[in-house]
Amino acid sequence: MSHKKICLKDGINVICTQSPIAYKDLVLGFQALNDLIVCSDDEYNNKSISKSFDFVGAPLLNDNIMAKYMNVIIKNFISNLDEVNRNRILKSFYSLETVLNDSLLLEDLPLEIDFSEDIKKLLKMVNIHLDAQLMLTRL
């Protein structure tokens, strides 16, 4: 074991730590993403962690981050985006639009691109997301 042993009793338990490494290991252990948490009964028979505990905490490390928080993250990113980077993003997207339009001219189909300067739609199109592997690695 890499951290101090703790024993939890039935009912509500509050676990506090100042170590981000210990907290992350604890959260991932409750999600059964590492083997640092062992759950057993009084006779030392293994029990399922997910069936034994309801862990509340660390929204960034929970499985449902995309459904619950991604829109908020995107809105905050866009609202904090400075003008220089906003223009760089749009300039790059204009370049992509030009390349696509040039390629479409060579096709024998009436295809066209609807360009929108909506950065939120652009971020969704490129599937911006949190890096799951980075979230699981040790700090």
Coordinates of all heavy atoms in Angstrom, one line a residue, residues 48-113:
S48 N -17.3 -5.9 -3.2 CA -17.2 -4.9 -4.3 C -17.3 -3.5 -3.8 O -18.1 -3.1 -3.0 CB -18.4 -5.1 -5.3 OG -18.6 -4.0 -6.2
I49 N -16.3 -2.7 -4.2 CA -16.2 -1.3 -3.8 C -17.4 -0.5 -4.2 O -18.1 0.2 -3.5 CB -14.9 -0.6 -4.3 CG1 -13.7 -1.3 -3.6 CG2 -14.9 0.9 -4.0 CD1 -12.4 -0.9 -4.2
S50 N -17.8 -0.7 -5.5 CA -18.9 0.1 -6.1 C -20.3 -0.3 -5.4 O -21.2 0.5 -5.4 CB -19.0 -0.1 -7.6 OG -19.2 -1.4 -7.9
K51 N -20.4 -1.5 -5.0 CA -21.6 -1.9 -4.3 C -21.6 -1.6 -2.8 O -22.7 -1.5 -2.2 CB -21.9 -3.4 -4.5 CG -22.2 -3.8 -5.9 CD -22.4 -5.3 -6.1 CE -22.7 -5.6 -7.5 NZ -22.7 -7.1 -7.7
S52 N -20.5 -1.4 -2.3 CA -20.4 -1.1 -0.8 C -20.4 0.4 -0.5 O -20.8 0.7 0.6 CB -19.1 -1.7 -0.3 OG -19.0 -3.1 -0.5
F53 N -20.0 1.2 -1.4 CA -19.9 2.7 -1.2 C -20.5 3.5 -2.3 O -20.5 3.1 -3.4 CB -18.4 3.1 -1.1 CG -17.6 2.4 0.0 CD1 -16.8 1.4 -0.2 CD2 -17.7 2.9 1.3 CE1 -16.1 0.7 0.8 CE2 -17.0 2.3 2.3 CZ -16.2 1.2 2.1
D54 N -21.1 4.6 -1.9 CA -21.5 5.6 -2.8 C -20.6 6.8 -2.6 O -20.7 7.5 -1.5 CB -23.0 6.1 -2.5 CG -24.0 5.0 -2.9 OD1 -23.7 4.3 -3.9 OD2 -25.0 4.9 -2.3
F55 N -19.7 7.0 -3.5 CA -18.7 8.0 -3.3 C -19.1 9.3 -4.0 O -19.5 9.3 -5.2 CB -17.3 7.6 -4.0 CG -16.2 8.6 -3.8 CD1 -15.6 8.7 -2.5 CD2 -15.8 9.4 -4.8 CE1 -14.6 9.7 -2.4 CE2 -14.8 10.4 -4.6 CZ -14.2 10.5 -3.4
V56 N -19.1 10.4 -3.3 CA -19.5 11.7 -3.8 C -18.3 12.6 -3.7 O -17.8 12.9 -2.7 CB -20.7 12.3 -2.9 CG1 -21.1 13.7 -3.5 CG2 -21.9 11.4 -2.9
G57 N -17.9 13.2 -4.9 CA -16.8 14.1 -4.9 C -16.1 14.0 -6.2 O -16.4 13.3 -7.1
A58 N -15.1 14.9 -6.4 CA -14.2 15.1 -7.6 C -15.0 15.0 -8.9 O -14.9 14.0 -9.6 CB -13.2 14.0 -7.5
P59 N -15.8 16.0 -9.2 CA -16.5 15.9 -10.5 C -15.6 15.7 -11.7 O -16.1 15.1 -12.7 CB -17.3 17.2 -10.6 CG -16.6 18.1 -9.6 CD -16.0 17.2 -8.6
L60 N -14.4 16.2 -11.7 CA -13.5 16.0 -12.9 C -13.0 14.6 -13.1 O -12.6 14.2 -14.1 CB -12.3 17.0 -12.8 CG -12.6 18.4 -13.1 CD1 -11.4 19.3 -12.9 CD2 -13.2 18.6 -14.5
L61 N -13.1 13.8 -12.0 CA -12.7 12.4 -12.1 C -13.8 11.4 -12.2 O -13.6 10.2 -12.3 CB -11.8 12.1 -10.9 CG -10.5 12.9 -10.8 CD1 -9.8 12.5 -9.5 CD2 -9.6 12.6 -11.9
N62 N -15.1 11.9 -12.3 CA -16.2 11.0 -12.4 C -16.4 10.7 -13.9 O -16.1 11.5 -14.8 CB -17.5 11.7 -11.8 CG -17.4 11.7 -10.3 OD1 -16.6 10.9 -9.7 ND2 -18.2 12.5 -9.7
D63 N -17.1 9.5 -14.1 CA -17.3 9.1 -15.5 C -18.2 10.0 -16.3 O -18.1 10.1 -17.5 CB -17.9 7.7 -15.4 CG -17.0 6.6 -15.0 OD1 -15.7 6.9 -15.1 OD2 -17.4 5.6 -14.5
N64 N -19.1 10.7 -15.6 CA -20.1 11.5 -16.3 C -19.7 12.9 -16.6 O -20.6 13.8 -16.7 CB -21.5 11.4 -15.6 CG -21.3 11.9 -14.2 OD1 -20.3 12.3 -13.7 ND2 -22.4 11.9 -13.5
I65 N -18.4 13.2 -16.6 CA -18.0 14.6 -16.8 C -18.4 15.2 -18.1 O -18.8 16.3 -18.1 CB -16.4 14.6 -16.7 CG1 -15.9 16.1 -16.9 CG2 -15.8 13.7 -17.7 CD1 -16.3 17.0 -15.8
M66 N -18.4 14.4 -19.1 CA -18.8 14.9 -20.4 C -20.3 15.3 -20.4 O -20.6 16.4 -20.9 CB -18.6 13.8 -21.5 CG -17.2 13.4 -21.7 SD -16.1 14.8 -22.1 CE -16.5 15.0 -23.8
A67 N -21.2 14.5 -19.9 CA -22.6 14.9 -19.8 C -22.9 16.0 -18.9 O -23.7 16.9 -19.3 CB -23.4 13.6 -19.4
K68 N -22.2 16.1 -17.8 CA -22.6 17.1 -16.8 C -21.9 18.4 -16.9 O -22.4 19.5 -16.7 CB -22.4 16.6 -15.4 CG -23.4 15.6 -14.9 CD -23.2 15.3 -13.5 CE -24.4 14.5 -12.9 NZ -24.3 14.3 -11.5
Y69 N -20.6 18.4 -17.3 CA -19.8 19.6 -17.1 C -19.1 20.1 -18.4 O -18.6 21.2 -18.4 CB -18.7 19.4 -16.1 CG -19.2 19.1 -14.7 CD1 -19.2 17.8 -14.2 CD2 -19.7 20.1 -13.9 CE1 -19.8 17.5 -13.0 CE2 -20.2 19.9 -12.7 CZ -20.2 18.6 -12.2 OH -20.7 18.3 -11.0
M70 N -19.2 19.4 -19.5 CA -18.4 19.8 -20.7 C -19.0 21.1 -21.3 O -18.2 21.9 -21.7 CB -18.5 18.7 -21.7 CG -17.3 18.8 -22.7 SD -15.7 18.6 -21.8 CE -14.7 19.6 -22.9
N71 N -20.3 21.3 -21.2 CA -20.8 22.6 -21.7 C -20.3 23.8 -20.9 O -20.0 24.8 -21.5 CB -22.4 22.5 -21.8 CG -22.9 21.7 -22.9 OD1 -22.2 21.5 -23.9 ND2 -24.1 21.2 -22.8
V72 N -20.3 23.6 -19.6 CA -19.8 24.7 -18.8 C -18.3 24.9 -19.0 O -17.8 26.1 -19.1 CB -20.0 24.3 -17.3 CG1 -19.3 25.3 -16.3 CG2 -21.4 24.1 -17.0
I73 N -17.5 23.9 -19.2 CA -16.1 24.0 -19.5 C -15.9 24.8 -20.9 O -15.1 25.7 -21.0 CB -15.4 22.7 -19.6 CG1 -15.3 22.1 -18.2 CG2 -14.0 22.8 -20.2 CD1 -14.9 20.6 -18.1
I74 N -16.7 24.4 -21.9 CA -16.6 25.1 -23.2 C -17.0 26.5 -23.1 O -16.3 27.4 -23.6 CB -17.4 24.3 -24.2 CG1 -16.8 23.0 -24.6 CG2 -17.6 25.2 -25.5 CD1 -17.6 22.1 -25.5
K75 N -18.1 26.8 -22.4 CA -18.5 28.2 -22.2 C -17.4 29.0 -21.5 O -17.2 30.2 -21.9 CB -19.8 28.3 -21.4 CG -21.1 28.0 -22.2 CD -22.3 28.1 -21.3 CE -23.5 27.6 -22.0 NZ -24.7 27.7 -21.2
N76 N -16.8 28.5 -20.4 CA -15.8 29.2 -19.7 C -14.6 29.4 -20.6 O -13.9 30.5 -20.6 CB -15.4 28.5 -18.5 CG -16.4 28.7 -17.3 OD1 -17.1 29.6 -17.3 ND2 -16.4 27.7 -16.4
F77 N -14.2 28.4 -21.4 CA -13.1 28.5 -22.3 C -13.3 29.7 -23.3 O -12.5 30.5 -23.5 CB -12.9 27.2 -23.1 CG -11.8 27.3 -24.2 CD1 -10.5 27.4 -23.9 CD2 -12.2 27.4 -25.5 CE1 -9.6 27.5 -24.9 CE2 -11.3 27.5 -26.5 CZ -10.0 27.6 -26.2
I78 N -14.5 29.7 -23.9 CA -14.9 30.7 -24.9 C -14.9 32.1 -24.3 O -14.4 33.1 -24.8 CB -16.2 30.4 -25.6 CG1 -16.0 29.1 -26.5 CG2 -16.7 31.5 -26.5 CD1 -17.3 28.6 -27.0
S79 N -15.5 32.2 -23.1 CA -15.6 33.5 -22.5 C -14.2 34.1 -22.0 O -14.0 35.3 -22.0 CB -16.5 33.5 -21.3 OG -16.0 32.7 -20.2
N80 N -13.3 33.2 -21.8 CA -11.9 33.6 -21.4 C -10.9 33.6 -22.5 O -9.8 34.0 -22.3 CB -11.4 32.7 -20.3 CG -12.2 32.8 -19.0 OD1 -12.6 33.9 -18.6 ND2 -12.4 31.7 -18.3
L81 N -11.4 33.3 -23.7 CA -10.5 33.3 -24.9 C -10.2 34.8 -25.3 O -11.1 35.6 -25.5 CB -11.2 32.6 -26.0 CG -10.4 32.3 -27.3 CD1 -9.3 31.3 -26.9 CD2 -11.3 31.6 -28.3
D82 N -8.9 35.1 -25.4 CA -8.6 36.5 -25.7 C -8.8 36.7 -27.2 O -8.9 35.7 -28.0 CB -7.2 36.8 -25.3 CG -6.1 36.0 -25.9 OD1 -6.3 35.4 -27.0 OD2 -5.0 35.8 -25.3
E83 N -8.8 37.9 -27.6 CA -9.1 38.3 -29.0 C -8.0 37.7 -30.0 O -8.4 37.3 -31.1 CB -9.1 39.8 -29.2 CG -9.8 40.3 -30.5 CD -11.2 39.9 -30.6 OE1 -11.9 39.8 -29.5 OE2 -11.7 39.7 -31.7
V84 N -6.8 37.7 -29.6 CA -5.7 37.2 -30.5 C -5.9 35.7 -30.8 O -5.9 35.3 -31.9 CB -4.3 37.4 -29.8 CG1 -3.2 36.7 -30.6 CG2 -4.0 38.9 -29.7
N85 N -6.2 34.9 -29.8 CA -6.4 33.5 -30.0 C -7.7 33.2 -30.7 O -7.8 32.3 -31.5 CB -6.3 32.7 -28.7 CG -4.9 32.5 -28.2 OD1 -4.0 32.3 -29.1 ND2 -4.6 32.7 -27.0
R86 N -8.8 34.0 -30.4 CA -10.0 33.9 -31.1 C -9.8 34.1 -32.6 O -10.3 33.3 -33.4 CB -11.1 34.9 -30.5 CG -12.4 34.8 -31.2 CD -13.4 35.8 -30.6 NE -13.4 35.8 -29.1 CZ -14.3 35.0 -28.4 NH1 -15.1 34.2 -29.1 NH2 -14.3 35.0 -27.1
N87 N -9.1 35.1 -32.9 CA -8.8 35.4 -34.4 C -7.9 34.3 -35.0 O -8.1 34.0 -36.2 CB -8.1 36.8 -34.5 CG -9.1 37.9 -34.2 OD1 -10.3 37.7 -34.4 ND2 -8.6 39.0 -33.8
R88 N -7.0 33.8 -34.2 CA -6.2 32.7 -34.8 C -7.0 31.4 -35.1 O -6.8 30.8 -36.1 CB -5.1 32.3 -33.8 CG -3.9 33.3 -33.7 CD -2.9 33.0 -32.7 NE -2.3 31.7 -33.0 CZ -1.8 30.9 -32.1 NH1 -1.8 31.2 -30.8 NH2 -1.2 29.7 -32.4
I89 N -8.0 31.1 -34.2 CA -8.8 30.0 -34.4 C -9.7 30.2 -35.6 O -9.8 29.3 -36.5 CB -9.7 29.7 -33.2 CG1 -8.9 29.2 -32.0 CG2 -10.9 28.8 -33.5 CD1 -9.6 29.2 -30.7
L90 N -10.3 31.4 -35.7 CA -11.2 31.7 -36.9 C -10.3 31.7 -38.2 O -10.8 31.2 -39.2 CB -11.9 33.0 -36.7 CG -13.0 33.0 -35.6 CD1 -13.5 34.4 -35.4 CD2 -14.1 32.0 -35.9
K91 N -9.1 32.3 -38.2 CA -8.3 32.3 -39.4 C -8.0 30.9 -39.8 O -8.0 30.5 -41.0 CB -7.0 33.0 -39.1 CG -6.1 33.2 -40.3 CD -4.9 34.0 -39.9 CE -4.0 34.2 -41.1 NZ -2.8 34.9 -40.8
S92 N -7.7 30.0 -38.9 CA -7.4 28.6 -39.2 C -8.7 27.9 -39.8 O -8.6 27.1 -40.8 CB -6.9 27.8 -38.0 OG -5.7 28.3 -37.5
F93 N -9.8 28.2 -39.2 CA -11.0 27.6 -39.7 C -11.4 28.2 -41.1 O -11.8 27.4 -42.0 CB -12.2 27.9 -38.8 CG -13.4 27.0 -39.0 CD1 -13.2 25.6 -39.0 CD2 -14.6 27.5 -39.2 CE1 -14.3 24.8 -39.2 CE2 -15.7 26.7 -39.4 CZ -15.5 25.3 -39.4
Y94 N -11.1 29.5 -41.4 CA -11.3 30.0 -42.7 C -10.4 29.3 -43.7 O -10.8 29.0 -44.9 CB -10.9 31.5 -42.8 CG -12.0 32.4 -42.2 CD1 -11.6 33.4 -41.3 CD2 -13.3 32.3 -42.6 CE1 -12.5 34.3 -40.8 CE2 -14.2 33.2 -42.1 CZ -13.9 34.1 -41.1 OH -14.8 35.0 -40.6
S95 N -9.1 29.0 -43.3 CA -8.2 28.2 -44.2 C -8.8 26.8 -44.5 O -8.7 26.4 -45.7 CB -6.8 28.1 -43.6 OG -6.3 29.3 -43.4
L96 N -9.3 26.2 -43.5 CA -9.9 24.9 -43.7 C -11.1 25.0 -44.7 O -11.3 24.1 -45.6 CB -10.4 24.3 -42.4 CG -11.1 23.0 -42.4 CD1 -10.3 21.9 -43.1 CD2 -11.6 22.6 -41.1
E97 N -11.9 26.0 -44.5 CA -13.1 26.2 -45.3 C -12.6 26.4 -46.8 O -13.2 25.8 -47.7 CB -13.9 27.4 -44.9 CG -15.1 27.7 -45.7 CD -15.7 29.0 -45.5 OE1 -15.0 29.9 -45.1 OE2 -16.9 29.2 -45.8
T98 N -11.6 27.1 -47.0 CA -11.1 27.4 -48.4 C -10.6 26.1 -49.0 O -10.9 25.8 -50.2 CB -9.9 28.4 -48.3 OG1 -10.4 29.6 -47.7 CG2 -9.3 28.7 -49.7
V99 N -9.8 25.3 -48.3 CA -9.4 24.0 -48.8 C -10.5 23.1 -49.1 O -10.6 22.4 -50.2 CB -8.4 23.3 -47.8 CG1 -8.1 21.9 -48.2 CG2 -7.1 24.1 -47.6
L100 N -11.5 23.0 -48.3 CA -12.7 22.2 -48.5 C -13.5 22.7 -49.7 O -13.9 21.9 -50.6 CB -13.6 22.1 -47.3 CG -13.1 21.4 -46.1 CD1 -14.0 21.6 -44.9 CD2 -12.9 19.9 -46.4
N101 N -13.7 24.0 -49.8 CA -14.4 24.5 -51.0 C -13.6 24.3 -52.3 O -14.3 23.9 -53.3 CB -14.6 26.0 -50.8 CG -15.9 26.3 -50.0 OD1 -16.9 25.6 -50.1 ND2 -15.8 27.4 -49.3
D102 N -12.3 24.4 -52.3 CA -11.5 24.1 -53.5 C -11.7 22.6 -53.8 O -11.8 22.3 -55.0 CB -10.0 24.4 -53.2 CG -9.8 25.9 -53.1 OD1 -10.7 26.7 -53.5 OD2 -8.7 26.3 -52.7
S103 N -11.7 21.7 -52.8 CA -11.8 20.3 -53.1 C -13.2 20.0 -53.7 O -13.4 19.2 -54.5 CB -11.6 19.5 -51.9 OG -10.3 19.7 -51.4
L104 N -14.2 20.7 -53.1 CA -15.6 20.5 -53.6 C -15.8 20.9 -55.0 O -16.7 20.4 -55.7 CB -16.6 21.2 -52.7 CG -16.8 20.6 -51.3 CD1 -17.7 21.4 -50.4 CD2 -17.3 19.1 -51.3
L105 N -15.1 21.9 -55.5 CA -15.2 22.4 -56.8 C -14.8 21.3 -57.8 O -15.3 21.3 -59.0 CB -14.3 23.6 -57.1 CG -14.9 24.9 -56.5 CD1 -13.8 26.0 -56.6 CD2 -16.2 25.3 -57.0
L106 N -13.9 20.4 -57.4 CA -13.5 19.3 -58.3 C -14.5 18.2 -58.4 O -14.5 17.4 -59.3 CB -12.2 18.8 -57.8 CG -11.0 19.8 -57.7 CD1 -9.8 19.1 -57.1 CD2 -10.7 20.3 -59.1
E107 N -15.4 18.1 -57.5 CA -16.5 17.1 -57.5 C -17.6 17.5 -58.4 O -17.8 18.7 -58.7 CB -17.1 16.9 -56.1 CG -16.1 16.4 -55.1 CD -15.5 15.1 -55.4 OE1 -16.2 14.2 -55.8 OE2 -14.3 14.9 -55.2
D108 N -18.3 16.5 -58.9 CA -19.4 16.7 -59.8 C -20.7 16.7 -59.1 O -21.7 16.2 -59.6 CB -19.3 15.7 -60.9 CG -20.0 16.2 -62.2 OD1 -20.2 17.4 -62.3 OD2 -20.2 15.3 -63.1
L109 N -20.7 17.2 -57.8 CA -21.9 17.2 -57.0 C -22.2 18.6 -56.5 O -21.2 19.4 -56.3 CB -21.8 16.3 -55.8 CG -21.6 14.8 -56.2 CD1 -21.3 14.0 -54.9 CD2 -22.9 14.2 -56.8
P110 N -23.4 19.0 -56.3 CA -23.7 20.4 -55.8 C -23.6 20.4 -54.3 O -24.5 20.6 -53.6 CB -25.2 20.6 -56.3 CG -25.8 19.2 -56.3 CD -24.7 18.3 -56.7
L111 N -22.4 20.3 -53.8 CA -22.1 20.4 -52.4 C -21.6 21.8 -52.0 O -20.9 22.4 -52.8 CB -21.0 19.3 -52.0 CG -21.3 17.9 -52.3 CD1 -20.1 17.0 -52.1 CD2 -22.5 17.4 -51.5
E112 N -22.0 22.2 -50.8 CA -21.5 23.4 -50.3 C -21.3 23.4 -48.8 O -21.8 22.4 -48.1 CB -22.5 24.6 -50.6 CG -23.8 24.5 -49.9 CD -24.7 25.6 -50.3 OE1 -24.4 26.4 -51.2 OE2 -25.8 25.7 -49.6
I113 N -20.5 24.3 -48.2 CA -20.2 24.4 -46.8 C -21.0 25.6 -46.2 O -20.9 26.7 -46.8 CB -18.7 24.5 -46.6 CG1 -18.0 23.3 -47.2 CG2 -18.4 24.7 -45.1 CD1 -16.5 23.5 -47.1

